[in-house]
Amino acid sequence: MIYLAFYRGEGRFLSDTLVQRVTRSEFSHCELFTSDTPPLPGETHLCVSAVGKHGGVCEREMTFRPGAYEFVPVPWAPADTVDRARRHMGSGYDYWGLLMTQFINMRRHAPDRWFCSKLCAKALGLADAHTYAPGDLKRIVEEHNRTYMAAQEVTIARKATAPRRYGVTGAPVFPGSGTFAGGLLAARQGAAAVMSQFAGPAPDGGLRAAAPASVPARAAHRSSRLAGQAARPTRLPEANVVQFPGQSSERIAR
């Protein structure tokens, strides 16, 4: 799971208090990281962010002091969110962008430099990443979380109440829950399951068709019967044989 850690600050005027007052938020910094379990105060995690005193984008181990951080999960974040942030490792700190977007509302920034919330918003795929202060980013992410969870609940409810239909491979199909690409894949798998009846045993989980399975046997029997008929000599009935005088030993077919 992708997480954001928002830092409340410890009273340093330039890096904490000034940012909090200008952006009208209790948060002055944010970090991006992944965790298999919900993070707890006092734990140490490997985080990616842009830090002025470290010269820009960096990755470092952070110990989250109790009371100084607030964690926000991001369930809708792309799987490569942290990798996106790591691509900018070594890039400088965007002091100019921080000044012109947060202190002076001119929305100007350096495209190849970063500050913390700008980097995190960009990695999450949010548009106009340079316009976000840490507090703004927290509000937007929490709004997206509510929308995402509501959509998940609707999808689960629809699947639970919709009648199930089963395809050729036996997998349940829910009306309206598929995509165009998924439909094509299901059709291809169904056709492969049917055709496999002519070539060999059905795949695991497939439905065996009784009627098509007997077609090769009938075709083989018919071919064998026709081959046997071709090998036997043709014998004409006596009614179709005429004898001429002096040629009693010869038979001519009409």
Side-chain angles (χ1 to χ4, degrees), residues 52-249:
K53 66 180 180 180
H54 291 291
V57 180
C58 60
E59 186 173 31
R60 54 183 180 155
E61 288 189 346
M62 292 288 299
T63 299
F64 300 121
R65 294 185 297 277
Y69 291 87
E70 185 170 331
F71 307 109
V72 178
V74 193
W76 47 267
D80 62 341
T81 296
V82 175
D83 291 333
R84 292 182 183 184
R86 289 194 182 110
R87 292 172 192 168
H88 304 286
M89 292 281 291
S91 298
Y93 194 83
D94 191 9
Y95 289 102
W96 169 256
L98 182 64
L99 175 65
M100 300 303 289
T101 59
Q102 307 304 323
F103 291 82
I104 304 174
N105 190 15
M106 296 186 66
R107 296 298 185 254
R108 296 183 180 275
H109 69 108
D112 57 343
R113 292 177 175 270
W114 307 88
F115 51 87
C116 62
S117 51
K118 174 184 174 182
L119 177 68
C120 294
K122 184 68 174 180
L124 291 172
L126 299 177
D128 298 327
H130 60 281
T131 63
Y132 293 97
D136 299 329
L137 181 61
K138 182 175 182 295
R139 286 191 295 270
I140 291 297
V141 169
E142 289 176 339
E143 289 178 4
H144 281 36
N145 285 354
R146 287 190 290 269
T147 302
Y148 175 82
M149 296 307 298
Q152 290 292 98
E153 291 176 0
V154 171
T155 301
I156 293 174
R158 286 180 177 177
K159 287 185 177 181
T161 57
R164 292 191 176 188
R165 296 181 289 107
Y166 289 85
V168 176
T169 60
V173 178
F174 299 97
S177 64
T179 61
F180 179 72
L184 291 179
L185 179 59
R188 183 176 180 181
Q189 292 176 344
V194 172
M195 294 304 296
S196 67
Q197 304 299 329
F198 296 91
D204 295 340
L207 300 180
R208 185 179 298 279
S214 62
V215 172
R218 292 201 302 269
H221 175 71
R222 183 178 180 184
S223 299
S224 177
R225 182 168 54 85
L226 292 176
Q229 291 177 356
R232 293 196 300 270
T234 303
R235 182 176 181 180
L236 298 176
E238 295 294 334
N240 292 334
V241 177
V242 178
Q243 293 185 1
F244 294 90
Q247 298 180 352
S248 60
S249 61

Side-chain angles (χ1 to χ4, degrees), residues 5-72:
F6 292 92
Y7 179 57
R8 287 191 172 88
E10 296 179 336
R12 290 174 293 188
F13 180 75
L14 291 179
S15 60
D16 295 326
T17 304
L18 188 59
V19 173
Q20 291 170 340
R21 290 181 179 179
V22 170
T23 61
R24 298 179 181 180
S25 170
E26 61 176 315
F27 302 101
S28 59
H29 180 69
C30 57
E31 300 273 348
L32 183 68
F33 66 101
T34 60
S35 179
D36 296 331
T37 59
L40 297 174
E43 292 182 345
T44 299
H45 290 270
L46 187 64
C47 303
V48 181
S49 188
V51 185
K53 66 180 180 180
H54 291 291
V57 180
C58 60
E59 186 173 31
R60 54 183 180 155
E61 288 189 346
M62 292 288 299
T63 299
F64 300 121
R65 294 185 297 277
Y69 291 87
E70 185 170 331
F71 307 109
V72 178

